[in-house]
Amino acid sequence: QVQLVESGGGLVQAGRSLRLSCAASGTIFSIRAMGWYRQAPGKQRDLVATITSGGTTNYADSVKGRFTISRDNAKNTVYLQMDSLKPEDTAVYYCYFDTRASVISAYLKLWGQGTLVTVSS
């Protein structure tokens, strides 16, 4: 079965950068989108960035101009480059793959385990 493994989180000072990675293990039949959500303590999980199979990207207004989503199709990996980090970026970050098992299966989101990003002032 496909599993998503995240890495790259940690503690960083405001203004610095981090890059998150999310790699899929196992066979992938079809991916129509990949992306990242984040959830701060006491808040709902919000969409941060997406990239479609065609390469179209989309960002939440709060991270636009600071974060960049990218992918490596050969490695089934999606990245989130986070620059100019702010304390309000502190959250658990979750990657997802919007995928399906076969041509007759429904698309669904597979989730990573989450990685904690803490930005100090």
Side-chain angles (χ1 to χ4, degrees), residues 66-85:
R66 300 188 297 118
F67 290 10
T68 304
I69 188 170
S70 61
R71 66 186 179 189
D72 185 335
N73 289 336
K75 297 181 178 180
N76 284 330
T77 300
V78 63
Y79 305 95
L80 186 67
Q81 177 67 41
M82 304 184 294
D83 298 324
S84 301
L85 282 163

Side-chain angles (χ1 to χ4, degrees), residues 33-53:
M34 297 173 282
W36 296 87
Y37 281 73
R38 67 184 181 186
Q39 187 169 26
K43 297 184 178 180
Q44 67 180 8
R45 188 174 298 186
D46 293 324
L47 184 63
V48 176
T50 62
I51 183 167
T52 70
S53 61

Side-chain angles (χ1 to χ4, degrees), residues 16-65:
R16 302 290 288 179
S17 299
L18 284 175
R19 189 178 76 156
L20 306 183
S21 299
C22 177
S25 64
T27 301
I28 298 291
F29 174 75
S30 181
I31 302 172
R32 69 179 179 183
M34 297 173 282
W36 296 87
Y37 281 73
R38 67 184 181 186
Q39 187 169 26
K43 297 184 178 180
Q44 67 180 8
R45 188 174 298 186
D46 293 324
L47 184 63
V48 176
T50 62
I51 183 167
T52 70
S53 61
T56 301
T57 58
N58 189 53
Y59 299 92
D61 289 340
S62 59
V63 307
K64 194 172 299 181

